[in-house]
Amino acid sequence: MTEPVVALIGEIAVTPTTVRTPAGEIPLAESTWQVSDFWQTEQKTPTWAIVAAVLGFCVLTVFSLLFLLVKRTVYKGTVQVTVTNGPRQYVARIPVTTQEQVQQVHNQVNYVRSLAAL
């Protein structure tokens, strides 16, 4: 009988005694967990600003080009979760777009750390 999954971190499924990864199973007891955040920011011109600049070009040529100066900051990145137990190690890279998603991964890892310490 398979154990229920108590936490799912990316492709890592955690049961009360085992960490299941695509590369195989790792014992949960005495496992160590590390979390690293890797963020990138990107400046993009919103679609509405491009449309306004093109449509406004016929009416107010110079002023419509000011719409192209409007920028929106887009955050994207990954959270890298590494689980290690003895010689076995697995690294999961989880794509994130908001700080809330990063916090959720950190909370899940902290929960699994508490289970591994039991």
Side-chain angles (χ1 to χ4, degrees), residues 82-117:
T82 305
V83 57
T84 307
N85 194 334
R88 309 273 327 258
Q89 181 177 20
Y90 185 78
V91 178
R93 290 174 183 83
I94 303 161
V96 292
T97 55
T98 65
Q99 188 62 36
E100 290 79 20
Q101 291 174 329
V102 174
Q103 189 60 45
Q104 181 182 9
V105 172
H106 279 270
N107 290 343
Q108 288 176 321
V109 170
N110 286 335
Y111 172 67
V112 173
R113 281 178 180 149
S114 68
L115 292 177

